[in-house]
Each structure stands twice: as structure tokens, then as C-alpha cells.
Amino acid sequence: MTVKQTSALAGAQQDQARAATALAHPNIALAKYWGKREGDGNIPAVPSLSVTLSGMSTTTTVSFDDTLVDDELVLNGEPQAHDARAKVRATQLLDRVRAAASTTSRARIESVNDFPTASGLASSASGFAALALASATAAGLDWDPSRVADLARRSSASAARSLFSGFVELEGLIARAVAGPAALDLRVLVCVTTEAEKATSSTVGMKLTQAASPYYEAWVTDATRSHLTMRDALLRGDFSHVGELAERSALAMHACAMAAGIVYVTGATLSALAEVRAMRASGLETYGTIDAGPHLKCLVRAEEAVRARARLEAVPGVLRIIETAPGDGARLLGGPP
Ligand code: 2P0
């Protein structure tokens, strides 16, 4: 046995691994964030208002282990290469945790999504929320949700919102719950149009939009104003007004991005949106929203979800529907062993 093997064995025997598992749901923005403030810190240029969605989840276990020479990431059962984008982003988050906890230990991360990854279904939101909570806990940091949200935001701004339950606002650095899951009797029907990863990440799409869209300034002005109007409508429990503003926010965001050449929608997305609008015209009140990917999300009152779902299932290009509802923020499933 070499000296290296002997010391590795001794390290394993002393096993100082500290572990925690966290579960987080993705969220979708009803009032969208698109664009970042100048400078470092990953701070959104506009406020956003989201709903955290039960019905889809990421579960992540982080184990700090003094015997590791590098962080390891296994995503949906697949070990990620040292320089894979997901692995690099995970290590950046862990580096912040290590600095705060005054440790140099590397960590093993195992993360599983029960829905398509990196295709515009907010897997980075639930992924970084779960990773932030699990890693801070595993490192022994006794942080409140706001502090964990700030850690998550630095990796993916929308992830800060998944720390909280129900309807959540992200304004500058701060994420906070605005209303609980029962504030609207809402269902969100996620119309999955592909299982593939998207070609342009949100981060890149935002940069290109800021650099090249002639409508970017108008977007920032309009998004800031309509966020406040939406918050008022939400606090009144006004489904119709929240829905109208949500559909408008999504279309404004995509119009702004499209003017810079960034197109996330496909024919299937637009077919599903057309069906949402046809339902609305015929008295079944539904609204559509679209994130940085080709899936259409349909907002509908809970008691009308079955009817809307049947109509959307018949739309060509809609592969399947995931039914979600306002849900809880990120939570721990297990602490240090
Ligand atoms: C949102 N999206 O408010 C908007 C609407 C997608 C469309 O936030 O660059 O993964 O990592 O902060 O948070 C998705 O972008 O982007 C997103 P980064 P993130 O939900």
C-alpha cells in the first residue's frame, strides 16, 4: 500500500463527511425577470413575481468529504465531467459555502429532477435552491431562508424565489414571500413540448437581449410598473387580472428577446397559446405564460383544470402535461447523519 493510499484510508476511517438532503420545487414567474443590473452579483434588472410549484421537484444531497480531491456532481444519475457547465456552476456555489464555513473540504453532490432538465422548466431554479440549502446545512451554516436565498440567487437569480412558499417576489437582492399558496385557487398546466435541453441558456439569452434588443429599455420600464400592478391584483385574489398581466409579461419578455434574435418558442408553443386564447374566448378562463424554453404554461382556476387539460392534451406538439399547484418552499429532508 502506498503512502497516498494509506492516508486516503486513514481519512476515510476518520470520515468527517457531513451531509444534508434538500428538496426544492421550481417556480414560474408570473411577472418575468429578464436582464441583469450592471456589475457583479447577478442582480436582476427588474422585479419579478413567481409561484412556487408543487408537482415538480429537485432532490439534492450534498456530502462534504475530506477524502475528495475535487467536487463531484452526479446529475440525474450521470456523473458530470470536471469542466461540465453544471459542475462548474455547482462548484462556484460550494466555494461560497466553503468560504463562509471556513472549510476546504470538497463535496459530492447527487441531484435528481423528476422533470426535464435545462429545457425551460426552471430546473436551475429548483436545482440551485436545493443545492444552496443542502450545502449550507451540510457545512454547518445555520442560515435563515433569506440568507440561503441570497446564496442561490448568485448562481441563478430565479432560484432565490424557490426557497419560499406560494407567491414570491424578487426585487434586487431580496426574495420574499408575498402571499401563501392559498392566495389564488390556481393550477398551472405545464405543456411539455420537448424533452431536449434548450440551445440558448437564460444567462446568455439575457446578455444578448440587453446588448441588441431595441426594446430593452421599454421592457425594463414596463416590467417594473406591471410587477406592482400584479402584486396588488394578487393580494386582492383577482385571478383574472393576475392572468392577464402574466400573459402580457411573458409576451413582452419574448418580444424584447426576439428583437435581439433570441427565439425560445416553437410552433407547438404557439399552438398551445392559441388554444389557451380560444378557451378564454369561449368562456373557459385560461392564460398562458412562457419561460426561456418552448413549453407553454397554462394558468387556470383549480375547478376548471380538468377541462383545460383535456383541451391542451389535444394540441399537436404537446407531448404531455404536468399539473402543478402553488406549493411550498425548499426544505430539508435529512440533516447530518
Ligand atoms: C424568470 N427566467 O423570471 C425568467 C423568465 C426565464 C424566463 O429567471 O442567469 O436561470 O441564472 O440568473 O434565473 C431564468 O433565468 O437565470 C429566468 P440566471 P435564471 O423566471
Side-chain angles (χ1 to χ4, degrees), residues 20-336:
T21 299
L23 180 149
H25 300 299
N27 68 78
I28 56 154
L30 302 171
K32 305 290 185 196
Y33 138 60
W34 197 251
K36 298 174 197 290
R37 287 190 195 164
E38 295 287 325
D40 295 335
N42 203 32
I43 303 173
V46 299
S48 55
L49 180 58
S50 65
V51 55
T52 302
L53 297 175
S54 67
M56 297 192 281
S57 57
T58 299
T59 304
T60 300
T61 298
V62 175
S63 314
F64 284 99
D65 184 337
D66 293 341
T67 66
L68 295 176
V69 293
D70 189 13
D71 295 322
E72 293 177 0
L73 171 63
V74 179
L75 184 55
N76 296 322
E78 298 281 334
Q80 303 293 301
H82 170 74
D83 57 353
R85 183 171 151 75
K87 155 72 171 51
V88 170
R89 291 180 80 189
T91 287
Q92 287 167 348
L93 187 151
L94 289 173
D95 284 344
R96 296 191 177 101
V97 169
R98 280 187 277 263
S102 302
T103 177
T104 54
S105 292
R106 303 283 123 185
R108 186 175 300 107
I109 306 165
E110 287 185 54
S111 189
V112 177
N113 294 324
D114 64 4
F115 61 96
T117 299
S119 80
L121 285 176
S123 59
S124 70
S126 52
F128 284 108
L131 179 61
L133 181 57
S135 59
T137 305
L141 297 169
D142 187 20
W143 283 358
D144 64 21
S146 297
R147 194 126 185 233
V148 179
D150 191 60
L151 173 67
R153 181 191 52 73
R154 288 165 194 274
S155 293
S156 176
S158 59
R161 302 186 306 232
S162 277
L163 266 301
F164 300 96
S165 301
F167 297 85
V168 183
E169 184 171 74
L170 175 62
E171 205 167 7
L173 296 166
I174 308 295
R176 62 175 92 83
V178 171
L184 286 183
D185 198 13
L186 177 71
R187 292 292 177 272
V188 179
L189 306 176
V190 179
C191 301
V192 178
T193 59
T194 176
E195 308 286 345
E197 295 193 9
K198 61 193 175 197
T200 308
S201 73
S202 299
T203 306
V204 170
M206 285 186 220
K207 275 201 186 115
L208 293 172
T209 303
Q210 282 183 258
S213 177
Y215 307 138
Y216 183 71
E217 295 306 323
W219 155 255
V220 170
T221 304
D222 184 65
T224 304
R225 196 169 38 217
S226 79
H227 161 257
L228 291 175
T229 314
M230 184 184 287
R231 183 169 56 189
D232 288 347
L234 172 68
L235 293 174
R236 286 196 312 273
D238 187 342
F239 168 79
S240 300
H241 202 190
V242 170
E244 275 166 30
L245 291 167
E247 190 169 302
R248 216 176 135 268
S249 172
L251 293 176
M253 179 203 118
H254 283 274
C256 181
M258 277 189 204
I262 310 299
V263 182
Y264 288 109
V265 297
T266 62
T269 322
L270 295 177
S271 297
L273 179 62
E275 186 61 19
V276 163
R277 295 181 143 207
M279 285 192 271
R280 195 157 79 227
S282 69
L284 175 50
E285 197 179 353
T286 52
Y287 298 91
T289 184
I290 308 158
D291 290 293
H295 316 287
L296 186 286
K297 288 103 179 191
C298 171
L299 312 176
V300 62
R301 288 191 178 90
E303 71 264 22
E304 294 183 320
V306 172
R307 282 171 62 211
R309 183 176 180 148
R311 295 271 299 259
L312 290 165
E313 272 167 352
V315 172
V318 173
L319 304 179
R320 63 194 173 95
I321 289 178
I322 305 171
E323 188 166 336
T324 69
D328 291 329
R331 56 204 176 269
L332 291 168
L333 299 182

